[in-house]
Amino acid sequence: MVDTPTAMTSPARWSTVGSTQEAMSRNAILLVALLLTGPVQAQSSIEDLSRELAPAQKALAVRDFAKAYPAYAAHAGANPLAQFTLGLFEREGWGRDADPVAACAWFAQAAQQQIPAAEQAFGDCLAQGIGRAVDGQAAVQWYRKAGASGVSYALCQAADLYISGKIVARDVAQGLALCTAAAQADSPPGMLKLANYYREGTVVPQNLRLARYWYDQAAQRHNREAQFRLGLMLSEGEGGDANVAQARFWMEHAAMEGYAPAYLPTAILYANATPDPGTGALTPADLAKIYMWNRAARASTPGSVQLAEIDRIERLVLTVMPAQWQPDLDRRVADHISKYPQ
């Protein structure tokens, strides 16, 4: 059997979390850790606030919600990090029914104590009118505060309000300036949002060159959707010259990190690869990757039109791929799908 590539395994520099449950637990700890970089109450040191929450954070890390919640609640009177985390419990429904109103009450308390992520979350509450009337101007103010405190993407959320003009006076130029500031502050989600504005060209004048630039910046910072979008633009020559090799590079990285919309395009890019000049056929490595990414697409695609294309590609591959390859390739696909459940 030809030694086929391990297409479903990401290189070490593209390592990602292995399951959605692990991601939730790690992100909860990361959120609290990130908060420690922002301004907090003057009368309490960052170290003290963090130290007294160590048992609660340890319980949360292993998803012991029954133990973690009261441990945070015991410090909620004076510890804004505890207040914010209790808001996450209520918003996400960790070990309880989700309660957005209770979540926003906790976020409001923590925001008043200058917790950056709480400022952003409270902005969401005001923009959506959760537990209170919609207040677009106040939402913008809290988003701006969060942005100034280091949560750069909050500036793009303020930008959305200005650009849509639904709850504040429409101001496309100011919205675009805010989201540009977030992107320039090295926020990958901000870069993606800005690129989407320029690509879509609905309320912001379309600029495919800038869209491609910001997708590239976000893709280099491991944003999967940006990798996917950049791959599409490179393959079609949008916003610059076409570059199929680079398109496949970025599209496959998005696929390797579990971004399901990239599976079928990756298979198609490999199907259109340059044949081996010696044989006039696709290389064994390319053939294996077509099969694997196409099978991954089958496992995550509900649309009948795409399924018809997946069936067509599989039939063509199976006419030339040795049957003895299938068990090993199918195992690799199954391993990948289990690692990145949709």
Side-chain angles (χ1 to χ4, degrees):
M1 175 179 174
V2 175
D3 183 19
T4 55
T6 55
M8 296 298 179
T9 302
S10 299
R13 68 189 184 94
W14 298 94
S15 61
T16 54
V17 178
S19 72
T20 53
Q21 289 187 347
E22 289 175 358
M24 191 287 296
S25 296
R26 293 188 186 185
N27 287 342
I29 298 301
L30 178 60
L31 278 170
V32 176
L34 288 174
L35 294 177
L36 302 182
T37 65
V40 194
Q41 293 172 306
Q43 67 268 30
S44 300
S45 71
I46 290 174
E47 292 78 8
D48 289 342
L49 290 172
S50 179
R51 189 181 302 112
E52 67 183 14
L53 293 179
Q57 289 178 247
K58 184 176 181 180
L60 182 58
V62 296
R63 298 175 58 80
D64 188 347
F65 300 134
K67 183 177 180 180
Y69 188 93
Y72 282 109
H75 299 283
N79 189 317
L81 299 181
Q83 294 164 359
F84 172 72
T85 309
L86 290 171
L88 292 179
F89 270 88
E90 301 291 357
R91 187 183 70 186
E92 304 299 328
W94 293 345
R96 62 196 53 243
D97 292 335
D99 187 340
V101 174
C104 286
W106 284 119
F107 292 147
Q109 290 188 55
Q112 295 292 342
Q113 299 299 320
Q114 299 179 295
I115 298 300
E119 294 171 343
Q120 179 190 32
F122 187 46
D124 294 340
C125 298
L126 291 162
Q128 298 169 33
I130 300 175
R132 66 204 70 221
V134 170
D135 190 335
Q137 288 297 336
V140 166
Q141 290 174 7
W142 283 107
Y143 285 145
R144 284 179 175 271
K145 286 182 180 180
S149 300
V151 186
S152 301
Y153 182 69
L155 297 176
C156 284
Q157 293 177 276
D160 268 341
L161 299 186
Y162 280 122
I163 289 172
S164 67
K166 293 179 180 178
I167 61 175
V168 296
R170 189 176 183 187
D171 189 335
V172 173
Q174 184 167 189
L176 195 57
L178 283 169
C179 200
T180 299
Q184 291 174 338
D186 210 34
S187 166
M191 296 169 182
L192 175 65
K193 170 68 78 172
L194 187 60
N196 285 340
Y197 281 143
Y198 283 125
R199 175 180 58 83
E200 293 163 1
T202 51
V203 291
V204 171
Q206 188 179 59
N207 188 323
L208 295 180
R209 181 185 62 81
L210 283 177
R212 181 156 149 177
Y213 171 80
W214 285 114
Y215 282 137
D216 180 78
Q217 293 300 303
Q220 292 183 48
R221 291 161 176 81
H222 309 272
N223 185 289
R224 301 181 307 164
E225 183 179 346
Q227 293 167 353
F228 168 74
R229 294 289 178 190
L230 179 60
L232 291 178
M233 296 192 80
L234 285 162
S235 67
E236 298 296 328
E238 293 182 327
D241 294 336
N243 189 322
V244 176
Q246 281 292 304
R248 190 170 65 186
F249 173 87
W250 286 115
M251 190 69 72
E252 187 167 25
H253 272 302
M256 286 191 297
E257 296 198 7
Y259 192 70
Y263 293 159
L264 183 57
T266 301
I268 292 171
L269 284 168
Y270 272 106
N272 292 324
T274 302
D276 185 322
T279 64
L282 291 172
T283 66
D286 287 348
L287 194 60
K289 289 195 174 188
I290 298 169
Y291 177 83
M292 285 190 285
W293 289 122
N294 197 61
R295 292 289 285 183
R298 177 185 295 282
S300 58
T301 300
S304 58
V305 174
Q306 280 194 324
L307 285 172
E309 177 67 4
I310 290 167
D311 286 339
R312 186 185 71 83
I313 292 172
E314 185 166 301
R315 286 195 301 271
L316 291 173
V317 170
L318 291 178
T319 62
V320 293
M321 190 183 82
Q324 63 266 32
W325 289 14
Q326 284 187 252
D328 180 53
L329 299 183
D330 286 342
R331 176 186 58 77
R332 297 180 190 181
V333 174
D335 288 346
H336 177 83
I337 295 300
S338 66
K339 185 177 181 181
Y340 301 103
Q342 301 302 310

